[in-house]
Amino acid sequence: MNKSSFKKIISAVNDQSRVRGSTHRFYTYPAGFSPVFVETAIKSLTKINDLVLDPFMGGGTTLIEALRAERKVVGIDLNPIATFVTKVKSTKISRKNHDNIEKWADDMSKNIHFKLKDNKFIKKAFAVINYKGLGKKEISNLKKIIKGAAFYLKELKKIKNKKENDFLRLLLLRCLHSTLHDKRPIADFYVFKSKIRSNSLDMLQGMEDLDPFLKNFRSKLKIYNKSSSQSHKIKELKSKKVSLILTSPPYPGINIPYSRWQIH
């Protein structure tokens, strides 16, 4: 690495700009790192068609930037949420998929409601929530949002196309996360409802931005839901030398709720 590349990487490390572009904003995964840094590191330390590895891929920042830089990439994560989020963020959708998703989300944003009987999803969600510190109004808002999510999921069962179903499932995850995670006071149901339309349009725009880099993406990208301790068994890592390992690993002694949200 030459002096110029080194300076670019140091500058990127210090970048504090808001995350934007491509599909990076699909879901805010804990302990992520800046796409600006990842892009700079990949372009400075590897060449086109080199293999990049992220053994703790989380929300898939490394994978998206590797695709944008025309590198091959392998991502590994034990958390099924990370695997799901990254697959949706990096899966090419057709114009028909795009139009179907946009129409369904628009209709849902108009028709979603919370007036339904408790089902298995609702009962399970209510059972795991810690209501300590929440007032009556916030508890009421929270329960309405959970019931709205249950209605969304019930209607989603009618979508048989896997790409569309997965995209819309992640849309719900993003709407719930942005409404409930680490937020106080808990917003009104209609705030959650409005996010379905606005977030769907933002996500679809992100897919359009990434689309030019998804040509033959299946041969460039591999995602594994397993422990990184099993990476030596992955065929892509046996057949091709890894040029760069780029990751944001778990931090010993620091409790990061990778699969939980904070509602307080």
Side-chain angles (χ1 to χ4, degrees):
M1 179 173 59
N2 58 38
K3 189 174 181 180
S4 175
S5 295
F6 180 75
K7 286 184 176 181
K8 287 179 181 179
I9 291 176
I10 295 301
S11 175
V13 167
N14 295 317
D15 182 82
Q16 298 294 318
S17 61
R18 185 181 180 186
V19 173
R20 61 184 183 276
S22 297
T23 56
H24 290 305
R25 284 165 45 83
F26 271 32
Y27 183 78
T28 305
Y29 196 84
F33 51 177
S34 166
V36 174
F37 163 69
V38 175
E39 176 188 16
T40 304
I42 289 173
K43 290 183 176 179
S44 298
L45 301 173
T46 66
K47 300 176 182 178
I48 290 177
N49 287 325
D50 276 355
L51 178 61
V52 178
L53 168 65
D54 188 342
F56 305 97
M57 69 181 175
T61 301
T62 296
L63 279 73
I64 297 303
E65 287 306 319
L67 288 173
R68 283 168 41 82
E70 300 180 72
R71 272 62 165 175
K72 295 181 179 179
V73 61
V74 172
I76 308 169
D77 208 291
L78 189 59
N79 188 343
I81 294 178
T83 305
F84 173 71
V85 168
T86 303
K87 283 184 176 179
V88 176
K89 289 170 69 171
S90 59
T91 297
K92 185 179 180 66
I93 62 172
S94 68
R95 171 49 59 177
K96 183 179 179 180
N97 294 146
H98 180 289
D99 293 344
N100 289 343
I101 290 167
E102 183 175 356
K103 183 180 186 306
W104 193 93
D106 183 46
D107 290 343
M108 178 54 62
S109 70
K110 297 171 182 174
N111 299 323
I112 191 170
H113 63 82
F114 51 81
K115 297 179 181 179
L116 68 164
K117 294 180 180 180
D118 290 1
N119 58 20
K120 185 177 180 181
F121 171 83
I122 294 171
K123 290 177 180 178
K124 188 173 182 179
F126 286 175
V128 299
I129 294 172
N130 181 359
Y131 297 98
K132 185 177 180 181
L134 299 179
K136 290 183 179 180
K137 176 62 174 175
E138 288 184 297
I139 291 175
S140 174
N141 287 346
L142 176 57
K143 288 186 173 182
K144 288 176 181 178
I145 291 169
I146 295 299
K147 286 193 171 188
F151 175 81
Y152 184 111
L153 289 171
K154 181 171 72 74
E155 294 299 305
L156 188 58
K157 291 180 180 178
K158 300 174 184 178
I159 302 296
K160 303 304 180 183
N161 182 282
K162 181 170 173 52
K163 288 184 179 181
E164 294 172 14
N165 191 292
D166 284 351
F167 192 102
L168 290 165
R169 193 172 295 272
L170 181 55
L171 169 62
L172 174 62
L173 196 62
R174 175 176 173 176
C175 292
L176 286 170
H177 187 271
S178 61
T179 304
L180 298 177
H181 177 60
D182 211 17
K183 300 291 191 297
R184 190 69 184 269
I186 292 175
D188 186 270
F189 174 80
Y190 296 98
V191 173
F192 163 69
K193 181 178 180 179
S194 68
K195 287 179 180 289
I196 295 172
R197 175 65 173 166
S198 60
N199 283 343
S200 68
L201 294 176
D202 182 65
M203 290 169 68
L204 288 169
Q205 182 59 58
M207 284 306 309
E208 287 189 13
D209 293 345
L210 186 62
D211 186 73
F213 303 98
L214 292 178
K215 185 178 181 181
N216 301 321
F217 76 99
R218 295 186 188 279
S219 64
K220 299 176 182 177
L221 168 72
K222 298 297 178 184
I223 297 171
Y224 291 93
N225 180 210
K226 60 174 61 181
S227 169
S228 58
S229 65
Q230 302 298 309
S231 60
H232 62 287
K233 298 180 181 180
I234 294 175
K235 63 180 182 179
E236 289 82 12
L237 302 181
K238 291 180 179 179
S239 60
K240 187 174 176 63
K241 180 181 177 182
V242 175
S243 299
L244 177 65
I245 298 176
L246 187 58
T247 194
S248 177
Y251 302 97
I254 299 177
N255 182 24
I256 298 176
Y258 289 99
S259 299
R260 292 176 293 149
W261 299 343
Q262 303 283 60
I263 300 176
H264 61 72

